[in-house]
Amino acid sequence: MSDDAAPDVPSPCVAICRLSRDTGNCVGCFRTLEEIAGWLVMPREKRLQVLAQLPARKAQEIAARQARRAARAAASPN
């Protein structure tokens, strides 16, 4: 099956559209703004590459949130 005949690669969008202040990626789908904007014209292979990167980006986002929370907790006088 050629790329042209292959089924379309669906968007990973989950309708939580907000960019992270830590990573710059969307907090819902973990794509960059450029990837979101170009998704409809992006070649199939590039879409698959982006999808393969999303689990690592999600882990990065979670780690950044946890670090930010820990820093706030350490700075808060209790």
Side-chain angles (χ1 to χ4, degrees):
M1 178 183 288
S2 74
D3 275 355
D4 293 336
D8 193 23
V9 179
S11 168
C13 180
V14 295
I16 303 173
C17 305
R18 185 171 47 101
L19 296 181
S20 166
R21 63 179 161 186
D22 295 314
T23 63
N25 296 332
C26 175
V27 300
C29 68
F30 307 101
R31 291 179 294 167
T32 67
L33 187 58
E34 293 78 20
E35 290 164 347
I36 294 167
W39 189 261
L40 293 177
V41 297
M42 189 181 291
R44 181 179 187 278
E45 276 305 310
K46 178 63 178 166
R47 288 185 189 186
L48 293 173
Q49 290 172 358
V50 169
L51 290 177
Q53 295 171 2
L54 298 183
R57 292 180 188 178
K58 181 177 181 178
Q60 178 187 18
E61 181 66 35
I62 290 169
R65 287 181 203 165
Q66 290 172 339
R68 189 173 66 244
R69 287 183 188 133
R72 278 197 310 253
S76 124
N78 285 334

